[in-house]
Amino acid sequence: MELTLPKHVNSELLPMIRQGLLNPEKLAILSDLHSIVERFAGSLYTDEETQAKILEKTGSVPDLITWGDYFQTEVASRYYLETEDSLRRIVDTIRFDLISAHLIFSGKPDHYKDKIRGDVLFSKGIDSASPEQNLESQHLEILLNYFENMEIGKKPLSLQDKAWYESFQIDEIAI
């Protein structure tokens, strides 16, 4: 019997679904994650040129094409043992970070981004005398990597995401 996947659920998750590791509620949360990430991503995870090379070499295209595919499979494989509430908090944290990346880096000049990178290198090179500052600069680096790799600035921030972000309580996310 052929298993039909819900909308926005990557085929890479089929083995986990067959093993009963992902129930319908978790699949719905992972489907939401896919949609959230796709609202922000201005590029593909696997660009068309790379897809063509993989197709030529292997005879098939990769299963992870979009950033939504990547985040969904990564979260599913890492956190499948989490409760549905915990999984939802993880997805909320990713959404919060994507919005933060958009707000922090959109329209900023390259020297601003270079300063972030320099601060991270400096914090990695010094003693861990101020761990909070190290964590903050490392988190900014993660947000900058999201922004650049996913080309987040290409799409405007939706009103839905802006309202959600502004009403969000920081203690609600999984830090």
Side-chain angles (χ1 to χ4, degrees), residues 9-153:
V9 173
N10 191 279
S11 61
E12 283 289 307
L13 300 183
L14 267 173
M16 295 178 77
I17 295 168
R18 287 189 180 117
Q19 294 172 30
L21 299 174
L22 298 172
N23 64 30
E25 188 174 347
K26 287 182 180 181
L27 287 173
I29 293 167
L30 292 167
S31 179
D32 287 347
L33 173 61
H34 188 280
S35 298
I36 289 166
V37 171
E38 290 305 307
R39 282 200 305 269
F40 290 90
S43 65
L44 294 173
Y45 176 72
T46 306
D47 64 58
E48 292 172 359
E49 183 180 324
T50 304
Q51 289 177 48
K53 288 178 184 175
I54 292 170
L55 177 61
E56 184 180 312
K57 190 174 185 176
T58 67
S60 62
V61 293
D63 289 325
L64 303 181
I65 301 290
T66 69
W67 283 102
D69 296 337
Y70 169 78
F71 273 84
Q72 182 181 75
T73 56
E74 189 71 17
V75 168
S77 62
R78 286 186 186 202
Y79 302 110
Y80 66 91
L81 292 175
E82 296 290 331
T83 65
E84 289 80 3
D85 287 341
S86 180
L87 191 60
R88 176 61 66 195
R89 282 192 302 276
I90 291 164
V91 170
D92 285 347
T93 301
I94 293 168
R95 183 179 185 187
F96 190 90
D97 279 355
L98 294 174
I99 295 169
S100 295
H102 196 292
L103 292 172
I104 292 168
F105 297 110
S106 286
K108 295 292 191 304
D110 287 341
H111 68 82
Y112 178 79
K113 297 170 194 169
D114 291 341
K115 181 187 179 325
I116 299 293
R117 287 186 196 90
D119 290 348
V120 170
L121 288 174
F122 180 75
S123 75
K124 287 179 180 177
I126 62 171
D127 240 334
S128 56
S130 61
E132 294 84 24
Q133 187 174 5
N134 291 345
L135 290 176
E136 182 180 321
S137 61
Q138 290 171 14
H139 190 233
L140 274 174
E141 180 185 39
I142 291 167
L143 297 181
L144 179 56
N145 287 337
Y146 284 166
F147 183 81
E148 291 181 334
N149 294 335
M150 296 172 65
E151 299 181 19
I152 288 176

